[in-house]
């Protein structure tokens, strides 16, 4: 089957002539009855489709976290949740074209809802503001605020004991520290500003590296290593919820 185009119900795809094998955990290799492959965007999703004689055989959704790598000049390995494939192309040009398409489509997929609804200048100003140590200091020195959060977490230790916790907009990491005090098994502290670097230093200096992991990025875009049991956040601005944290957190869940 030569590289070309095939028309299906959901559009026209550029199909690359390939041979495909499935790899398993025991180093086994199983050749599949597949002759073509395409990568394209369908209904706001990036998908990889395998074909045999123009008929769709199997389809997978690709995200910005999908793992893939080159294997020699003509082969390519891509891993999904429960399957890993080795794809061998007919020539080096097809390999590069396919990787370029994947790279561009993954950039589109990675564009979060936060970026879609927020002007870039506003987002930059927001994260710069909370990236200043002076702003974190002002919040930490608000004794009523900080002690109330600590008391709320410690008084509800049943929601933290042995649990995996997510701290959204961690800042200095103070809520993450409180969660550990309450017995959290592990805390993932997500922070979008450069305060994430200072948060890592505080965790290291307090020897909590095995308990708290800092993830630098926006909550809409990061990938957590595992599911969490409890979420903590400080969403209050000058008008209670002006920072929009509840809306941002809600985009991550099913409810």
């Amino acid at each position: 089957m030569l590289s070309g185009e095939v028309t299906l119900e959901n559009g026209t795809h550029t199909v690359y002539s390939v041979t495909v094998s499935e790899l398993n955990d025991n180093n086994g290799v199983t050749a599949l009855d597949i002759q073509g492959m395409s990568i394209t965007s369908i209904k706001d999703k990036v998908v990889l489709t395998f074909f045999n004689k123009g008929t769709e055989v199997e389809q997978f959704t690709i995200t910005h976290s999908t793992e893939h790598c080159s294997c020699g000049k003509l082969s390519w390995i891509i891993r999904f949740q429960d399957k890993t494939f080795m794809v061998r192309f007919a020539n080096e040009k097809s390999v590069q074209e396919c990787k370029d398409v994947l790279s561009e489509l993954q950039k589109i997929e990675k564009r979060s809802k936060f970026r879609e609804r927020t002007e870039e200048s506003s987002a930059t100003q927001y994260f710069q503001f909370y990236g200043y140590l002076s702003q974190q200091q002002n919040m930490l020195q608000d004794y009523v605020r900080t002690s109330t959060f600590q008391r709320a977490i410690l008084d509800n230790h049943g929601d933290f004991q042995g649990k995996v916790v997510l701290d959204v907009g961690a800042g200095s990491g103070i809520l993450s520290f409180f969660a550990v005090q309450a017995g959290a098994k592990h805390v993932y502290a997500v922070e979008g500003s450069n305060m994430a670097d200072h948060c890592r230093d505080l965790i290291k200096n307090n020897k909590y590296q095995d308990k708290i992991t800092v993830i630098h990025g926006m909550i809409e875009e990061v990938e957590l290593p595992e599911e969490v049991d409890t979420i903590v956040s400080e969403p209050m601005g000058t008008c209670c919820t002006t920072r929009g944290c509840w809306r941002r957190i809600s985009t991550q869940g099913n409810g």
Side-chain angles (χ1 to χ4, degrees):
M1 180 179 180
L2 299 177
S3 299
E5 290 190 345
V6 60
T7 301
L8 301 176
E9 292 181 0
N10 50 15
T12 300
H13 305 249
T14 299
V15 179
Y16 298 95
S17 178
V18 297
T19 57
V20 181
S21 299
E22 184 173 353
L23 312 181
N24 60 47
D25 294 336
N26 298 321
N27 297 321
V29 179
T30 303
L32 303 179
D33 191 16
I34 293 171
Q35 297 176 326
M37 183 194 77
S38 72
I39 297 177
T40 189
S41 179
I42 301 176
K43 295 180 180 178
D44 299 323
K45 293 194 303 183
V46 179
V47 297
L48 179 149
T49 307
F50 289 133
F51 298 93
N52 183 20
K53 298 179 181 179
T55 302
E56 180 182 313
V57 175
E58 202 163 9
Q59 192 174 85
F60 299 91
T61 299
I62 297 174
T63 71
H64 62 270
S65 61
T66 299
E67 297 177 279
H68 58 90
C69 66
S70 299
C71 182
K73 292 184 178 181
L74 298 179
S75 295
W76 183 51
I77 295 177
I78 185 165
R79 179 181 179 85
F80 298 99
Q81 285 188 343
D82 56 351
K83 292 187 176 182
T84 302
F85 299 101
M86 176 180 285
V87 180
R88 183 173 178 83
F89 292 83
N91 52 64
E92 292 184 44
K93 180 180 178 182
S94 294
V95 177
Q96 191 58 51
E97 284 181 359
C98 198
K99 289 170 67 176
D100 289 344
V101 169
L102 176 61
S103 177
E104 288 303 312
L105 290 176
Q106 283 186 306
K107 289 178 183 178
I108 295 173
E109 190 276 338
K110 191 173 182 179
R111 184 176 176 82
S112 69
K113 291 182 180 179
F114 176 82
R115 294 183 187 276
E116 289 175 354
R117 67 170 181 255
T118 308
E119 291 184 3
E120 185 175 351
S121 59
S122 296
T124 300
Q125 185 179 32
Y126 175 89
F127 288 113
Q128 282 181 343
F129 179 83
Y130 285 103
Y132 292 130
L133 284 170
S134 58
Q135 296 302 329
Q136 298 296 326
Q137 181 183 18
N138 288 339
M139 290 188 285
L140 289 173
Q141 289 179 336
D142 184 339
Y143 174 78
V144 174
R145 169 192 174 277
T146 303
S147 62
T148 299
F149 275 116
Q150 183 182 34
R151 186 169 62 254
I153 291 174
L154 296 182
D155 286 352
N156 291 277
H157 58 86
D159 294 322
F160 295 89
Q161 186 71 43
K163 307 286 188 179
V164 178
V165 178
L166 169 64
D167 182 359
V168 180
S172 63
I174 188 64
L175 299 189
S176 296
F177 285 108
F178 293 161
V180 172
Q181 289 179 352
K185 176 183 177 183
H186 199 85
V187 182
Y188 293 101
V190 178
E191 172 56 39
S193 76
N194 290 332
M195 186 55 57
D197 295 328
H198 298 295
C199 186
R200 287 194 184 96
D201 290 338
L202 288 170
I203 291 167
K204 180 180 179 181
N205 291 335
N206 284 276
K207 305 186 187 304
Y208 276 3
Q209 302 98 311
D210 62 331
K211 287 289 187 178
I212 305 174
T213 299
V214 177
I215 300 176
H216 189 185
M218 290 182 285
I219 189 62
E220 297 91 341
E221 298 180 355
V222 300
E223 294 285 339
L224 298 178
E226 59 183 315
E227 291 187 0
V228 303
D229 304 300
T230 303
I231 300 175
V232 295
S233 183
E234 190 280 276
M236 294 184 294
T238 54
C239 292
C240 189
T241 56
T242 54
R243 288 168 59 187
C245 287
W246 289 125
R247 180 173 58 179
R248 298 181 63 196
I249 295 171
S250 68
T251 64
Q252 295 303 100
N254 297 322

